[in-house]
Amino acid sequence: MCIRDRYQRRVRGFSRFVSPSKMFKKSDRNKDKADKSKGPKRNQDETPSAIPEQGPPPKQESTVSVPVTTRDDEERKRKELEEKERKRKEEEEERRKKENEEKKEKEKKKKLEEEEKKKKEKAMKEEEKKKKKEKEDRRKEEEKRAEEDEVAETKELESVKLGPGETSTTYSELYHLFPSEVFVAYDKLQDFARDLNTQISHPEIVLIGLQGHGKSSILEALLGHQINTVGYGGATQRPLYLNIINNTQCETPKVTIKRDSVLSEFDHDEIVPLTELSNEIEKRNKIVSSDAVFVQYEFKDTCNMTFIDTPGLIPEDQGDLIKTKIDQTVMNLAKPPHRLILCVEEAKDWERIEMMDFVKQLDPELSRTTFVYTKFHNQLQKMTNTRQVNRFLSGTPPDTKSFFTTLISTKLRQKFSESDRFQEKIWQAYRRDMNGLEQLQFDKRFEANIGLHALRKYLLHLSWKNYQDNVPKILKRLRQKKASSENALEKIQSQLATLDSLKLRSLASDYVVDFLQIIERLITGTSEGNPTVNGQSLEEEKLQHGDGEWIDAHNRIIKFDPDEWKIPYWDSKLYGGQQFERLLSEFKSVAEHTRISDVTMDDVATAAGINKLNNIPNYAWAACDLAQQKSREAFIPLIEQLCSRTVYTMKRLTDIAEKIVESRKVKWNLRSDNVFDTDNLEQYPYFTFHVKDLLLQIC
């Protein structure tokens, strides 16, 4: 076999370890090397016979082919590693470039965002500045328009045409419907009711309505004074009880805010000027609560009545929780059947009225409800003919009392805050409505329902009717009081006619003698005093006396068993002399068991002294002195306690004697031949008390 063939066989042996492409490359290189090692190529014309024959190749044992690592392989691996490293560096460089580009992109984007943000902030500031300027311009425009409207409304009110028989002072007469003498009599009737321990009920009127429809304005107009409760805190947050009292001594309104049950800083009554009432109410109106603010308003020539201004009802779209709470508060205030309901709502088309369903929940029959429709002038301006105005005025709920009112604006209320000017403007607003109705030729049947003064007159007549209904009751009570007083006076006069000093002296002497005889019998011994009820055992005596147990000279309690010391009747109920004997027996036992303190040599030496005759110590004198001093130390505290207990025992006898007198009164049935007349003695309580007091002082 030729060298070429052997080489090919060798290549086929390790071809398993080399990829085909590499194998061919490597075989070509090996082939070139083999050709070079053989020397020059032989000619093509050389025949195979020229080559010497060789025998068959020797057999070789089969062995595992091991790949041979050559220098070319190492070079190739090195180049592969270099290629990989180069690629890795390129990838790393590419990644760094990409990160730098992303970072630059982010910075650029951030810069753009900041610029955009600055532009937006600048635009927002400019927009806000623009809006602020527009708002300021609008506010100025509104103020200017409001000022113009105020001037126009003032001119319009002042130019109203007076009605027949009316003068420029008619408004004052409408606020003084009754002369002062009526209210003086009214005040006297109240005094009579208080003297008779009775009370005249006065009307309680609850104002209900939607927010901003004029409940508080109606309340101010009814009073004729601005109490400045309109819109305090934006709206009524808590109910307001305004208790109006007729006080003939108050020439000007006297306002007292009662203690607040919610806010601890207002836990006292406070008298405030009328002009400061709004500020004080606003301080108490910081929280939403069902607890009311109570205000007492005293003024002359007014009827006693109470107005309850409730929080304004709100639409359903402003919060179910708040609406439910306000609705419940208003219902609780308006549900009591003795309270009248004043339903306040803006005048508008009848199909748009909102309060009817709510009112029927409180008063299904509308028997105690009065409807007040405010801002009537705005509705009146929409009407152009008689048919429209009469149709509107006749649209009120049947069999109910309804009123149509127009009040002045908030600006005018602030401008004309004095009572006279305020009342005048309210009357002018009423005349303006009446002139408009007369121009439209309205039905005169509705005239009694127009204006605030008609509403005020209606409420005052309700109050006055309530008092007229109470007059017969008061007169009946007065007649009864008069009859009983006359009977008592007649009895006293008859007794005064029969009074005799000798008889009184005899009566007093007999009573004192009998009382002292009873005391004597209680001391000597008698069961007439009912010992089961009035007697005391030893334990009860100590307990009721207060001092308790015996105390020795060293302030130590002397405890003992009365049965062991054989104290007589210690568990029996005694009084009088027998109780005193038991006390002496107890004292004797305590004294017998009391130990006198020991005598020291210091005591003996001090007490002996020196005899003046023979200068010899007198031990007999010392023994007597020591015995006397030690006895005093031991027994004087016990004797003081004995005296205190004895006084207590003797003082009890006066109460027992008084009870015996009462029991004799019942048993003897007051015979005319009694020792003394207990009926007459009851008419002189001071005398009997004085006798008892003298006995206590003696004890």
Side-chain angles (χ1 to χ4, degrees), residues 22-221:
K22 293 181 179 180
M23 181 183 69
F24 289 118
K25 290 180 182 180
K26 188 174 181 181
S27 62
D28 292 341
R29 289 195 301 269
N30 294 334
K31 182 179 179 182
D32 294 340
K33 290 180 180 180
D35 291 342
K36 289 179 181 180
S37 63
K38 288 191 299 181
K41 290 184 179 180
R42 65 179 180 174
N43 294 332
Q44 293 180 357
D45 54 356
E46 289 181 355
T47 59
S49 60
I51 302 172
E53 271 185 17
Q54 295 181 3
K59 289 185 179 181
Q60 298 179 359
E61 294 182 359
S62 60
T63 58
V64 178
S65 299
V66 178
V68 179
T69 303
T70 63
R71 185 176 295 175
D72 294 338
D73 294 337
E74 292 178 356
E75 184 69 18
R76 179 179 53 79
K77 289 181 180 180
R78 185 182 62 79
K79 289 181 179 181
E80 287 178 357
L81 291 173
E82 289 177 355
E83 183 68 19
K84 286 182 180 180
E85 183 68 18
R86 185 183 62 79
K87 287 182 179 180
R88 186 185 66 77
K89 289 181 178 179
E90 289 177 356
E91 289 176 357
E92 184 71 19
E93 185 69 22
E94 186 70 22
R95 185 180 62 80
R96 281 199 298 268
K97 288 181 180 180
K98 190 175 180 181
E99 288 180 354
N100 291 334
E101 289 177 359
E102 289 178 355
K103 187 176 180 180
K104 289 179 180 179
E105 188 68 24
K106 287 182 180 179
E107 289 178 354
K108 185 178 179 181
K109 188 177 180 181
K110 185 177 180 181
K111 188 175 181 181
L112 291 174
E113 288 178 354
E114 289 178 355
E115 291 177 356
E116 187 69 21
K117 186 177 179 181
K118 288 180 180 179
K119 289 180 180 179
K120 286 183 179 179
E121 288 179 354
K122 186 176 179 181
M124 287 177 64
K125 287 181 179 179
E126 291 178 355
E127 185 69 21
E128 186 178 353
K129 187 176 180 181
K130 184 179 178 181
K131 287 182 179 179
K132 190 174 181 181
K133 185 178 179 182
E134 290 178 356
K135 186 177 180 181
E136 185 67 20
D137 294 340
R138 188 164 55 251
R139 186 185 62 80
K140 290 181 180 179
E141 186 67 24
E142 289 177 356
E143 288 181 355
K144 183 178 179 181
R145 194 184 309 115
E147 188 175 350
E148 292 175 355
D149 293 343
E150 179 185 342
V151 173
E153 185 179 2
T154 304
K155 289 182 179 179
E156 184 181 5
L157 291 176
E158 291 178 350
S159 62
V160 293
K161 182 181 178 181
L162 300 178
E166 294 179 345
T167 63
S168 58
T169 59
T170 302
Y171 71 89
S172 180
E173 298 174 2
L174 293 174
Y175 273 95
H176 299 84
L177 298 176
F178 304 111
S180 299
E181 291 77 9
V182 173
F183 292 98
V184 172
Y186 177 86
D187 196 54
K188 288 183 178 180
L189 188 64
Q190 290 281 354
D191 294 338
F192 287 143
R194 283 192 293 269
D195 293 341
L196 295 172
N197 199 21
T198 186
Q199 186 178 7
I200 299 177
S201 61
H202 59 272
E204 294 184 7
I205 303 169
V206 183
L207 288 86
I208 65 173
L210 298 173
Q211 277 187 3
H213 282 224
K215 301 186 303 299
S216 301
S217 300
I218 287 290
L219 182 56
E220 283 189 349

Side-chain angles (χ1 to χ4, degrees), residues 436-450:
L437 290 171
E438 289 171 357
Q439 289 177 2
L440 294 173
Q441 298 180 354
F442 78 111
D443 193 339
K444 293 290 184 180
R445 292 179 302 171
F446 303 112
E447 186 175 1
N449 302 92
I450 307 300

Side-chain angles (χ1 to χ4, degrees), residues 202-207 219 240-245 294-295 303-309 339-340:
H202 59 272
E204 294 184 7
I205 303 169
V206 183
L207 288 86
L219 182 56
L240 173 68
Y241 274 71
L242 183 63
N243 188 19
I244 302 175
I245 298 176
F294 291 88
V295 178
C303 291
N304 289 4
M305 61 177 63
T306 299
F307 287 97
I308 305 174
D309 189 12
R339 289 178 177 172
L340 304 177

Side-chain angles (χ1 to χ4, degrees), residues 392-445:
F392 179 79
L393 294 176
S394 61
T396 57
D399 301 327
T400 60
K401 199 68 177 175
S402 302
F403 296 91
F404 301 90
T405 64
T406 299
L407 301 177
I408 59 178
S409 63
T410 305
K411 290 286 185 181
L412 286 183
R413 280 200 300 270
Q414 295 174 356
K415 184 177 180 180
F416 302 103
S417 59
E418 298 83 0
S419 298
D420 289 341
R421 297 288 285 164
F422 179 63
Q423 296 173 10
E424 181 184 10
K425 294 306 170 187
I426 292 175
W427 175 75
Q428 289 175 352
Y430 157 72
R431 282 308 316 166
R432 181 180 60 182
D433 291 345
M434 288 301 299
N435 292 341
L437 290 171
E438 289 171 357
Q439 289 177 2
L440 294 173
Q441 298 180 354
F442 78 111
D443 193 339
K444 293 290 184 180
R445 292 179 302 171

